[in-house]
Each structure stands twice: as C-alpha cells, then as structure tokens.
C-alpha cells in the first residue's frame, strides 16, 4: 500500500516536471538536452497531448487554423545513390525506372494550379545531368506561373547546377540532412556519401537565395534519442525555413528490409518540439506518417505541422516511386483526393 503510494507520488512529480519542460520550451524556444529527452521518451501519452496542444496553439497563432498545400510531383526515380534505406537506390534492379517528360510535368502543374495550389514541388532521385536538363522545364514553369513557388528536392548537385536552377526560377530546395551525426550517416549510406558534403550543399543553397529545408527520418536503423537531439540542435542552429521529417519505413528490396519502422508518436513529438523552437517553419505532415497511421495528416496538423503535400504524380507512375513499402498512394485523381483532404481538415477545424 505504502509502496504504491510512493510510486504514485513519483509519477505525479514526473508529470509535473515534464509539463514544466513544455512551458519552458514554449517560452524560451529552446530546452536543454535532458528536457528534450524527456519529451521524446516519456511514455505518458497525456503529456504528449499537452506538448501537441502547445505546438498547435503556436502554429495557429502564427498562421491561423490554416494548412498550406504543396503539389508533390515525383518527377523521376532514377538515382545514382545507394542509400541503404531507400527503395529507389541504384542497386534496386526490381524497380522500373522513369522520368516524367517536360509535357507531363507541365500538365501536373497545370492540374495543381487549376485546383488552387500555388507551390509545385519537384522531387526525384539524385541525377546531376538530368537535374541540369530539368532547369529548362523549371524555366517554363516559372514563365507560365510567375506567382507560384517552385520547390526542388533533387539531392546533392554541383554548385553550378544549383545556381542554374535558381536562375531558372526555383526558389526553394529541400535537402534532408538525414542525421547530424557522421557516424550514423556512415551506417545509413555507402562509403563515398558524406554528411559534410550534404551540409555544405545546404549552406550553398542558402547562399544562392533558396529557402532551404532539412530534416531526417525518425527511427532509422541504429538511431538513438541522442541522435535525434543532435538533429534538433543542428536545425536549431541552421534555422531552415522548411523541415521535412517522417518515420523510417522499411522497403523490401533494400538492405534495411528487416528493420522495424520508426515510431509515429516520436515523429509527432518532433513536429511539436520543432514548432515550439521554430514557430515560423513550414512543417509538412508527411506521407510516410500517413503510411503508418491512416489519420497521419490530421494528427500531424494537430501536433503543429502546417503543410500537406497532395500527390500530383501521374497515377500510373506512383508505384515506381517506391521509397518504402505501403507508401500511401491514393489512386484517386487529385481533385478527389483534395476534396477528401478538405473534409478531413474541416473535421478538426482547419481550412486550406
Ligand atoms: N534524392 C533527393 C534527396 O536525396 O534529397 C530527394 C529524394 S529522397 C528519396 C527523399 C527522402 O526520402 C530522403 O531524404 C529520405 O529521408 C526519404 N526516404 C527514403 N527512403 C525512406 C524510407 N525507407 N522510409 C522513409 N523515408 C525514406
């Protein structure tokens, strides 16, 4: 009896400490490592709810109850890299390769624009010669939709290619750093790929005037809470305008096929922590999260994310952009998906 009372008092003390961590993070926009660890590791879901509540209050304070839509166009799955986690890695011979033509890309943009989207995101495997060629299409996109934001996610490219893409009219670039720790980076990627290069690219992109995005997978193989804290510190220092993060999900044709998926709960906590640290950041509720949890989009928004990226890739290509297993890919046409999304957001009191 006495023992259970002591346990109960300890439990209450623990909740009070973690709740005060959330307040401190919101007030000071930073928190020490121990505090972050508690927020990430506490198994009390009511505390996580408290963290999410603060994060969404901050997001709504910044932007209103609004979710920003970005039209995702997975323009090519041809990649020179061999990242151990990724389904479009070079060594995956099981995958039919494709690159969308200029006409296909412009038609995806046209469809998105007509449906009211004002940001196009071209994402694809790392392929420097193709990226250089893509600059011509980017220039056409810029000429046809002068008011649109053009966001790219094409990996590490030579400085002159970044500069060319910028001159052609692209204004945002998402390059996830994947992990802030060189040792973990080396376990996720083959020799030859270096964190140093990736970070140098991010600095270069910013110097060229791109709004930059970084981020990582949550729960990638070998990742620890210390690694996630290092990721948070790196983003706190770099202050990216966009943050792309979602859970790791295994893909059956990769060396990491037998590792478990990352945690949706940790992903949501990271959205919330980063929202409280960087109130103005664009944080998408990612497709990977929706793959783990059918309500991933709304859960993400309620934890402080403020962007959703409906997929405008032609339906017949979506299977081939197989980054991980079960990648949620509504076969429905974009207009229908968009209506569905609006209804979902409506139920939580948000609009696009
Ligand atoms: N090639 C570009 C690059 O390297 O930035 C963009 C495309 S890359 C496939 C986009 C992101 O997908 C990666 O940064 C990685 O974080 C994520 N990704 C790849 N494989 C994944 C997996 N198995 N689970 C979850 N996310 C994955």
């Amino acid at each position: 009896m006495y023992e259970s009372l002591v346990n109960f008092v300890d439990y209450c003390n623990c909740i009070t400490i973690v709740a005060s961590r959330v307040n401190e993070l919101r007030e000071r926009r930073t928190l020490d490592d121990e505090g972050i660890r508690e927020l990430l590791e506490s198994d009390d879901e009511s505390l996580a709810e408290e963290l999410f509540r603060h994060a969404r209050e901050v997001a709504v304070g910044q932007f209103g109850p609004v979710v920003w839509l970005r039209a995702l166009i997975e323009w090519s799955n041809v990649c020179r890299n061999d990242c151990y986690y990724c389904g479009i890695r070079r060594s995956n011979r099981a995958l039919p390769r494709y690159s969308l033509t200029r006409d296909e890309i412009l038609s995806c943009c046209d469809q998105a624009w007509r449906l009211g989207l004002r940001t196009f995101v071209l994402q694809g495997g790392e392929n420097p010669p193709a990226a250089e060629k893509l600059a011509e299409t980017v220039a056409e996109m810029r000429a046809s939709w002068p008011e649109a934001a053009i966001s790219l996610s094409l990996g590490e490219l030579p400085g002159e290619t970044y500069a060319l893409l910028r001159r052609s009219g692209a204004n945002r670039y998402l390059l996830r750093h994947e992990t802030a720790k060189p040792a973990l980076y080396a376990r996720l990627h083959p020799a030859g790929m270096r964190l140093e290069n990736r970070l140098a690219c991010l600095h270069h992109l910013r110097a060229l005037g791109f709004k930059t995005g970084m981020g990582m997978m949550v729960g990638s193989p070998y990742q620890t809470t210390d690694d996630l804290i290092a990721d948070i510190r790196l983003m706190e220092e770099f202050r990216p305008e966009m943050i792309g993060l979602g859970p790791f999900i295994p893909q059956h044709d990769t060396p990491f096929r037998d590792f478990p998926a990352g945690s949706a709960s940790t992903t949501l906590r990271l959205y919330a922590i980063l929202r409280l640290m960087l109130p103005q950041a664009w944080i998408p509720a990612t497709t990977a999260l929706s793959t783990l949890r059918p309500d991933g989009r709304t859960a993400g928004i309620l934890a402080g994310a403020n962007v959703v990226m409906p997929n405008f890739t032609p339906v017949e290509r979506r299977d081939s952009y197989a980054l991980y297993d079960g990648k949620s890919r509504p076969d429905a046409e974009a207009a229908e998906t968009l209506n569905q999304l609006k209804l979902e957001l409506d139920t939580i009191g948000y609009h696009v």
Side-chain angles (χ1 to χ4, degrees):
M1 171 77 174
Y2 175 73
E3 203 177 308
S4 56
L5 190 65
V6 170
N7 285 344
F8 180 69
V9 172
D10 279 354
Y11 172 73
C12 291
N13 283 341
C14 180
I15 290 190
T16 315
I17 291 169
V18 181
S20 72
R21 300 289 199 201
V22 181
N23 283 317
E24 183 185 342
L25 173 58
R26 181 170 178 175
E27 298 279 300
R28 296 183 49 232
R29 295 190 181 173
T30 189
L31 191 61
D32 62 20
D33 288 0
E34 252 350 272
I36 294 177
R37 184 186 310 283
E38 279 164 16
L39 296 182
L40 288 174
E41 291 184 346
S42 159
D43 48 20
D44 186 323
E45 280 303 320
S46 65
L47 280 171
E49 282 307 325
E50 187 65 2
L51 173 66
F52 302 157
R53 183 177 68 77
H54 280 276
R56 69 176 167 264
E57 276 177 19
V58 167
V60 170
Q62 284 287 327
F63 306 98
V66 169
V67 174
W68 306 78
L69 299 184
R70 318 292 191 216
L72 175 64
I73 304 164
E74 296 159 333
W75 92 276
S76 170
N77 68 355
V78 179
C79 190
R80 69 172 172 178
N81 280 337
D82 228 5
C83 311
Y84 300 141
Y85 46 84
C86 184
I88 66 169
R89 66 199 301 267
R90 184 183 70 219
S91 300
N92 182 3
R93 311 248 177 268
L95 200 66
R97 301 288 167 165
Y98 76 90
S99 299
L100 299 185
T101 62
R102 162 208 175 270
D103 289 355
E104 284 173 315
I105 294 172
L106 294 179
S107 128
C108 295
C109 296
D110 185 52
Q111 191 191 16
W113 184 267
R114 284 167 194 272
L115 289 170
L117 282 83
R118 296 294 176 261
T119 302
F120 309 129
V121 182
L122 292 182
Q123 195 196 93
E126 191 170 294
N127 183 353
E132 204 180 316
K133 187 94 186 49
L134 189 67
E136 292 164 22
T137 308
V138 170
E140 288 192 63
M141 287 163 63
R142 173 54 64 226
S144 304
W145 296 283
E147 288 142 44
I150 302 177
S151 197
L152 303 176
S153 182
L154 309 172
E156 296 172 35
L157 302 173
E160 55 274 22
T161 310
Y162 284 149
L164 173 68
L165 290 163
R166 178 83 185 101
R167 282 199 305 279
S168 307
N171 42 6
R172 300 178 188 170
Y173 204 104
L174 176 67
L175 184 70
R176 289 185 178 187
H177 64 281
E178 310 296 0
T179 166
K181 293 276 194 74
L184 178 58
Y185 196 90
R187 298 185 87 172
L188 302 178
H189 302 98
M193 287 184 72
R194 290 177 42 229
L195 175 59
E196 226 179 300
N197 293 344
R198 213 149 173 96
L199 296 180
C201 285
L202 276 163
H203 285 281
H204 193 86
L205 287 160
R206 177 165 276 173
L208 286 168
F210 281 102
K211 299 245 181 285
T212 46
M214 59 200 302
M216 69 284 177
M217 293 176 297
V218 179
S220 54
Y222 315 112
Q223 186 187 62
T224 62
T225 302
D226 280 342
D227 295 320
L228 289 175
I229 294 173
D231 289 321
I232 291 173
R233 295 289 172 230
L234 181 66
M235 291 189 267
E236 203 180 4
E237 191 192 323
F238 189 86
R239 309 192 82 73
E241 285 85 5
M242 305 171 282
I243 296 171
L245 60 90
F248 160 77
I249 301 176
Q251 205 276 358
H252 61 278
D253 283 317
T254 64
F256 286 169
R257 64 177 70 84
D258 294 326
F259 282 90
S263 144
S265 168
T266 310
T267 305
L268 293 172
R269 291 169 194 222
L270 282 159
Y271 289 162
I273 292 169
L274 289 161
R275 168 62 61 215
L276 294 173
M277 281 185 164
L278 300 170
Q280 292 170 349
W282 304 106
I283 306 181
T286 51
T287 314
L289 179 62
S290 305
T291 305
L292 284 193
R293 269 181 72 149
D295 67 341
R297 290 192 293 210
T298 47
I301 301 301
L302 292 174
N306 61 340
V307 174
V308 173
M309 296 171 56
N311 198 339
F312 281 78
T313 311
V315 172
E316 64 281 9
R317 296 297 191 188
R318 292 189 197 171
D319 268 346
S320 303
Y321 201 77
L323 304 186
Y324 43 83
D325 289 342
K327 186 161 159 280
S328 97
R329 46 171 185 85
D331 288 334
E333 285 305 325
E336 204 180 306
T337 314
L338 218 56
N339 282 336
Q340 173 63 30
L341 174 63
K342 286 179 184 164
L343 289 175
E344 262 179 50
L345 294 175
D346 205 40
T347 60
I348 57 165
Y350 283 71
H351 57 272
V352 296

